[in-house]
Amino acid sequence: MAVVFLAIWTVILQAGFSKTMHITMNDKIISLIDFSRKNLTTMPDVLHNSTTDLYLQENHLHVVPAWSFRKSRILKNVDLSDNRIRFIEHGAFDGLNELTILNLRSNLLTSNSLDENIFQGLISLQDLFIHKNYFHDNYTFFQTVISRVKSLVKLKIDLSRQNQIDKCLCNLSNLQDLEIFEVPGLTLSDNLFQNLNCLKIETLWISSVLSLAPNTFISFPNLKTLRIAINTGYAMDDVISNIFNALKIFKGRNMTELSITGNPHRNGFVLGHPHFAILENICLQKLNLVDDSILGVKFNPFFRYGLKENCLEELNLSDNLLFNIKDGYIFAFCAFKHLKIISIPYEVVRDNRVKRSDQNDVSCSFCIPKTLEQFDLHSHVKLYTRRRISNMTIINGSNLKVLNMANITFRNCNGTINGADNLEYFDMSGFNCKVLGVNLLSNFPKLITLIAKDANLGIGLNALQNTSEFLEMNLDLQHMDLMNNNLKTLPDDLFCHPFRNKLSIILDRNYLQSLPNFLTKPNTIERISLKYNRFSCLSENDMAMLNIIKPSSVFLGRNPIECSCNTLRFLKWVQHSGLISDVDEIECVLQTGTFATLSKFLQNLKIFEISCQTKLWVTLASCITSVTILALLFGIIYYRYRFAFEYFFLRIKLKLRHYQPLLEDFSHDAFISYSHKDISWVKTLYDILQSKGISLCLYHKDFKVGMPIAECIMEAINSSRKVVFVITEDFLESSWGTYEIEMTRMHAFREGRESMVVVILRDDIEKDKLPKALKEIWFKVVCIVWPSDPDAPYNSEEKFYEKLCITLADGRKRINNDNNSNEIV
């Protein structure tokens, strides 16, 4: 019955977990509908009057039909990018009076795809992204269509090689942000942009640049943000020089941002006087030279650039191949008066001015601008160094709040960082903290976020003698990321501090099987992420601790969670506590070895619990039955061979008493086994045999006082040459008689003395009535019958005693003969 129940339960589970989930729309408020990457080939008909954002990117749409959005008149954002749209029907966007963002990027649109009034009804449209299409067939018509959208503020378009920007775009009086995606092979100049001097363009983004003419930006008198992306594959060798020459037009202007990215490796250059001479004449707030193959920075030009009155607040030189030079420019940072953000590769910090305290430890200091708030030294790959963090001092670091040193793999972390008392964010990912100093973070009393991924803290933390001191000074912590640190356990007192705010802890990609200890008070932990660890379930202690702490969310995804009767207590806790936030993403292992989503499994938890109880009773019944059968079998075997067990137990017991068996000399010629009711006859037998020189052992005479009878019987059998059983009707009714026969049989078999048993049949007893043990050895027994028939020949008491004496003396003579033979030899 139980097996059938479990089979039905397995079918129910498999049916439940293979069911496809369908989303049904109802009348509730739905502000966002995301149908991206759904392999749609036609426009979906799911809009509601409350929908404001519709995402349809990365599908296979070919046509946008008329009145596609008739059910939602308050749409503000429609994304149709990365489809295969070839045609937009007349009236496709009718009724979208509140639409502000329309994205048609990366489709197959041409001028024939658009009606000239296709955007006419979009009176609120501000952002139009229509680049990476095929409008070069009639670029003038394409611009005319766009020029009708007078509300546009931001426009992204392609630029055809043989055309220029038309005057009709002057109708876009509100246009401020223009992004142009150029066809490769075109050198940009003012001829291309001269018709835009009628507009107040403030942001210009040019992609796929090969080269720039000096007068390229004359038509942008109001330009404040310029972003240039170089075509890495086709750029000219002097593209950087051309770009900087084109920047001379901005002399004396106030600009918000200048960004140049993508200079190929073959055009690697050193940032020096020609470049800073142009930059120092522009009041520039943000300079972004990311991934430009910069090989170095000249100290003196950079220092002069800093000393001259300038507006630079953010400098980003990330992803460049900066190498050490004799006059490392890191020391020029102090000359800048307004810098708030610096992002540079770590290589530029390694200079020759460090002071060595001894052969192994390096103490260093470097100066930063007093205004600096964010210092980013991180690298995308690990950079190995022999240095260790030892007394690193940051000069002018009182305003520094963010310090990113990720992937700077110091030799160990047994040191301190000084001079940044107001630091709030510290990224030490990639450090080699197998050797960890307890004071590493002690000078960051206002630290809020600690990122320490892949830093070998699994070794360093557990090696600390007093782990509680490691975070003792960081009571403002709110976020810790300890991902991928080879953590098998965490010290008990690491998090047991009265943190002032709720703490969020990420412990993903480690080897944890139980939770670390937290301060057991409510509202101390905000979030615990334990993804990619080795949890099959949470222990009773873990669940009890979480019930007290009550974090807002706990994540257990990608753990080998077990959905079985063994983890039923944990599964019930997950269902009732509501603390596990990613139950929809957790896959648990069923008892059948298959996987199931935990949320779906919990829907049938009641049925599963019943099956576990049934299985428990089946298992318990099976165990009881097995034990009963084993006990019965053992009882049968023991009863069948009880005398053999008894014999060996007695032998072991005697051996433990250091008893040594007789080898040749016996204490008695015979041990007489009889019924106590035959004592008178046995006494007469004893006296007659004794007078004839036969030594007999009788339990009435020879058994030791205080010694168990079984042991006395065993000793008597072992110390006697023969064992004589006086078989009478009373003897057959005696349990001790049967016991003595069994012991004698076992002893004779073990010692090879099969001829030691003598039977006196005193009463007329048939053989079938004899004890079973005696009948089994009857062919080896010497049987002497007491003369009960006076008429029988030679049947007298004298003849009986003669036979008995000869039998009892037989073994004695053989031994004497053997001894005499040995003496003759």
Side-chain angles (χ1 to χ4, degrees):
M1 183 67 183
V3 174
V4 174
F5 185 88
L6 290 175
I8 295 173
W9 163 244
T10 303
V11 172
I12 292 173
L13 284 181
Q14 291 176 348
F17 294 134
S18 62
K19 183 178 180 181
T20 304
M21 183 177 65
H22 297 280
I23 301 175
T24 57
M25 297 292 182
N26 49 35
D27 293 333
K28 66 180 181 180
I29 297 176
I30 302 174
S31 59
L32 185 147
I33 297 178
D34 188 353
F35 276 132
S36 57
R37 295 177 293 277
K38 301 294 184 183
N39 294 321
L40 298 178
T41 56
T42 58
M43 293 288 292
D45 188 17
V46 295
L47 296 183
H48 277 235
N49 290 332
S50 60
T51 306
T52 58
D53 296 86
L54 176 62
Y55 299 148
L56 294 167
Q57 66 269 28
E58 298 185 43
N59 283 293
H60 305 289
L61 302 176
H62 294 270
V63 178
V64 182
W67 291 96
S68 293
F69 311 98
R70 63 185 181 279
K71 291 185 179 180
S72 182
R73 299 302 181 89
I74 63 170
L75 270 174
K76 298 182 183 298
N77 182 3
V78 175
D79 192 340
L80 292 165
S81 61
D82 293 287
N83 277 281
R84 299 176 182 177
I85 300 174
R86 295 178 178 272
F87 190 71
I88 301 178
E89 293 184 0
H90 176 74
F93 303 118
D94 284 2
L96 299 182
N97 297 331
E98 298 186 22
L99 190 68
T100 57
I101 303 175
L102 177 59
N103 192 346
L104 296 169
R105 175 181 61 86
S106 298
N107 280 289
L108 303 176
L109 296 172
T110 65
S111 298
N112 295 326
S113 303
L114 303 179
D115 183 90
E116 60 180 353
N117 295 317
I118 192 67
F119 302 126
Q120 186 173 6
L122 305 179
I123 58 176
S124 301
L125 190 63
Q126 296 183 11
D127 297 352
L128 176 60
F129 309 145
I130 199 168
H131 54 295
K132 295 189 178 180
N133 280 284
Y134 298 91
F135 295 113
H136 54 270
D137 59 331
N138 192 343
Y139 200 72
T140 302
F141 172 77
F142 165 66
Q143 294 182 87
T144 302
V145 172
I146 295 176
S147 67
R148 299 177 185 275
V149 192
K150 297 183 178 180
S151 58
L152 278 183
V153 176
K154 184 174 183 178
L155 176 62
K156 295 184 180 182
I157 59 174
D158 296 316
L159 186 63
S160 178
R161 181 180 304 175
Q162 65 272 22
N163 295 295
Q164 64 178 17
I165 296 177
D166 197 87
K167 287 184 178 181
C168 64
L169 291 186
C170 287
N171 293 329
L172 304 177
S173 57
N174 295 316
L175 191 66
Q176 298 179 7
D177 190 332
L178 178 62
E179 297 187 18
I180 298 175
F181 294 82
E182 178 194 0
V183 176
L186 181 64
T187 299
L188 301 183
S189 66
D190 184 54
N191 292 332
L192 182 68
F193 300 117
Q194 60 183 351
N195 289 327
L196 291 178
N197 58 9
C198 56
L199 300 176
K200 296 181 179 180
I201 301 293
E202 295 184 358
T203 300
L204 178 63
W205 186 357
I206 308 175
S207 177
S208 195
V209 171
L210 302 182
S211 181
L212 295 181
N215 62 349
T216 301
F217 304 112
I218 291 179
S219 298
F220 298 98
N222 300 297
L223 197 64
K224 296 185 178 299
T225 299
L226 175 60
R227 300 188 183 103
I228 300 173
I230 300 173
N231 187 308
T232 305
Y234 300 97
M236 299 177 62
D237 293 341
D238 58 348
V239 61
I240 287 293
S241 300
N242 292 337
I243 291 174
F244 272 88
N245 285 333
L247 298 180
K248 294 179 180 179
I249 193 68
F250 301 117
K251 181 178 180 180
R253 290 198 198 177
N254 297 328
M255 295 191 68
T256 303
E257 177 185 348
L258 173 60
S259 177
I260 304 172
T261 59
N263 185 47
H265 293 312
R266 67 176 185 275
N267 293 345
F269 69 102
V270 175
L271 200 61
H273 177 74
H275 312 99
F276 290 117
I278 296 171
L279 294 174
E280 65 186 16
N281 292 318
I282 306 171
C283 186
L284 181 63
Q285 294 182 14
K286 179 180 180 180
L287 178 59
N288 185 4
L289 300 176
V290 175
D291 193 20
D292 278 332
S293 301
I294 300 176
L295 304 178
V297 180
K298 290 290 185 179
F299 176 79
N300 289 330
F302 186 59
F303 187 71
R304 282 198 304 269
Y305 179 48
L307 285 177
K308 188 172 181 179
E309 192 65 32
N310 61 70
C311 312
L312 194 64
E313 296 181 2
E314 181 176 347
L315 175 63
N316 191 348
L317 299 178
S318 300
D319 299 333
N320 284 291
L321 301 175
L322 290 159
F323 297 102
N324 277 340
I325 53 179
K326 293 182 179 179
D327 49 357
Y329 77 96
I330 184 72
F331 298 97
F333 284 136
C334 284
F336 290 84
K337 303 176 181 63
H338 307 289
L339 265 180
K340 295 181 180 180
I341 300 175
I342 298 177
S343 298
I344 56 176
Y346 170 67
E347 282 87 341
V348 299
V349 181
R350 294 189 299 182
D351 54 80
N352 297 323
R353 302 186 180 191
V354 295
K355 300 177 180 178
R356 296 184 177 272
S357 56
D358 56 46
Q359 186 177 0
N360 297 319
D361 300 340
V362 177
S363 297
C364 62
S365 61
F366 54 89
C367 180
I368 62 175
K370 295 181 179 180
T371 55
L372 195 66
E373 298 176 359
Q374 179 175 328
F375 198 9
D376 190 345
L377 296 166
H378 89 280
S379 173
H380 292 296
V381 295
K382 282 190 175 184
L383 302 170
Y384 295 93
T385 174
R386 293 183 178 180
R387 294 183 179 182
R388 64 188 293 271
I389 298 180
S390 176
N391 300 323
M392 182 181 294
T393 301
I394 301 175
I395 301 173
N396 293 333
S398 59
N399 290 316
L400 189 64
K401 295 182 178 180
V402 176
L403 178 59
N404 187 350
M405 302 177 71
N407 288 329
I408 304 175
T409 310
F410 290 96
R411 183 169 54 86
N412 61 52
C413 307
N414 188 16
T416 59
I417 301 176
N418 306 296
D421 297 341
N422 295 310
L423 194 70
E424 297 178 356
Y425 178 101
F426 181 44
D427 192 340
M428 52 180 283
S429 301
F431 281 26
N432 186 12
C433 292
K434 292 181 179 179
V435 179
L436 181 64
V438 72
N439 295 317
L440 178 65
L441 307 176
S442 60
N443 292 326
F444 303 149
K446 297 183 179 180
L447 190 65
I448 295 175
T449 300
L450 173 64
I451 311 296
K453 304 176 185 177
D454 190 23
N456 281 316
L457 290 174
I459 299 176
L461 284 173
N462 287 290
L464 289 177
Q465 294 183 351
N466 193 353
T467 316
S468 62
E469 297 181 4
F470 186 68
L471 298 176
E472 187 176 20
M473 302 303 296
N474 311 114
L475 300 183
D476 284 335
L477 267 177
Q478 298 181 30
H479 179 79
M480 287 186 66
D481 190 342
L482 302 181
M483 181 189 299
N484 195 26
N485 272 281
N486 297 317
L487 295 169
K488 297 180 180 178
T489 59
L490 278 168
D492 292 338
D493 50 358
L494 180 63
F495 299 111
C496 294
H497 296 291
F499 294 105
R500 299 186 182 98
N501 302 283
K502 287 186 178 182
L503 190 61
S504 177
I505 303 174
I506 299 177
L507 295 167
D508 298 349
R509 298 186 182 277
N510 286 291
Y511 303 103
L512 297 173
Q513 299 183 46
S514 61
L515 287 175
N517 285 334
F518 298 107
L519 194 64
T520 51
K521 290 183 179 180
N523 300 319
T524 56
I525 303 296
E526 177 70 22
R527 176 175 180 259
I528 306 173
S529 184
L530 298 163
K531 297 179 180 180
Y532 294 93
N533 277 277
R534 295 185 176 180
F535 287 91
S536 60
C537 66
L538 294 182
S539 66
E540 293 286 346
N541 292 335
D542 291 343
M543 291 184 288
M545 181 170 58
L546 292 176
N547 287 336
I548 297 174
I549 298 173
K550 294 188 181 301
S552 300
S553 54
V554 179
F555 297 90
L556 286 173
R558 299 298 181 178
N559 276 280
I561 299 298
E562 181 181 340
C563 290
S564 68
C565 297
N566 297 329
T567 61
L568 183 60
R569 172 73 181 86
F570 163 70
L571 297 172
K572 293 171 66 176
W573 176 84
V574 171
Q575 186 179 53
H576 294 120
S577 68
L579 295 179
I580 308 300
S581 302
D582 56 347
V583 289
D584 293 331
E585 302 174 9
I586 296 175
E587 284 190 339
C588 65
V589 184
L590 302 178
Q591 294 180 150
T592 58
T594 57
F595 291 89
T597 305
L598 182 57
S599 59
K600 293 182 179 179
F601 183 88
L602 295 177
Q603 294 173 4
N604 301 301
L605 189 59
K606 286 291 184 183
I607 301 175
F608 183 73
E609 184 177 0
I610 294 172
S611 72
C612 286
Q613 293 173 353
T614 304
K615 187 175 181 180
L616 176 62
W617 283 111
V618 171
T619 304
L620 184 60
S622 300
C623 291
I624 294 174
T625 303
S626 300
V627 171
T628 303
I629 293 173
L630 289 174
L632 184 60
L633 288 174
F634 180 78
I636 294 172
I637 293 172
Y638 181 78
Y639 181 78
R640 175 67 178 80
Y641 300 101
R642 62 189 183 281
F643 295 109
F645 286 120
E646 181 73 16
Y647 174 79
F648 284 109
F649 289 154
L650 288 174
R651 294 286 301 186
I652 293 172
K653 194 171 183 180
L654 291 174
K655 193 171 184 179
L656 292 175
R657 293 184 177 181
H658 305 289
Y659 172 78
Q660 297 295 330
L662 295 172
L663 297 177
E664 296 179 350
D665 297 331
F666 293 90
S667 300
H668 306 283
D669 289 319
F671 165 58
I672 308 296
S673 175
Y674 56 93
S675 170
H676 69 281
K677 294 181 180 181
D678 300 322
I679 184 63
S680 298
W681 186 88
V682 172
K683 185 178 183 302
T684 302
L685 177 70
Y686 175 81
D687 292 339
I688 294 173
L689 294 178
Q690 190 76 17
S691 65
K692 295 180 180 292
I694 303 299
S695 175
L696 300 177
C697 176
L698 302 178
Y699 67 83
H700 283 94
K701 176 177 70 72
D702 295 305
F703 279 15
K704 296 178 182 179
V705 178
M707 188 173 180
I709 295 176
E711 294 184 24
C712 290
I713 292 172
M714 190 67 221
E715 185 175 348
I717 292 172
N718 193 67
S719 62
S720 301
R721 185 175 296 106
K722 301 285 185 177
V723 178
V724 179
F725 294 100
V726 180
I727 306 298
T728 64
E729 294 290 348
D730 293 328
F731 183 88
L732 295 179
E733 296 177 358
S734 172
S735 59
W736 281 110
T738 303
Y739 179 80
E740 289 169 353
I741 292 174
E742 290 284 357
M743 292 296 104
T744 302
R745 184 172 70 91
M746 294 296 301
H747 184 75
F749 175 77
R750 183 179 183 279
E751 300 295 332
R753 298 170 58 193
E754 291 84 354
S755 62
M756 69 181 295
V757 180
V758 179
V759 174
I760 297 176
L761 288 176
R762 185 166 163 262
D763 295 337
D764 187 12
I765 300 173
E766 295 180 1
K767 182 180 177 182
D768 293 339
K769 293 183 178 181
L770 295 176
K772 182 180 178 181
L774 190 58
K775 289 190 291 185
E776 290 178 353
I777 60 173
W778 188 256
F779 65 96
K780 292 185 179 182
V781 169
V782 177
C783 181
I784 303 175
V785 181
W786 174 253
S788 58
D789 184 5
D791 296 331
Y794 307 107
N795 189 14
S796 62
E797 293 185 11
E798 292 80 5
K799 205 64 177 177
F800 167 80
Y801 283 113
E802 181 182 352
K803 293 178 182 179
L804 185 58
C805 289
I806 293 173
T807 300
L808 296 180
D810 179 60
R812 185 196 306 171
K813 291 179 181 179
R814 273 202 312 272
I815 294 174
N816 291 334
N817 292 335
D818 293 340
N819 291 337
N820 293 333
S821 299
N822 292 334
E823 290 176 2
I824 292 173
V825 175

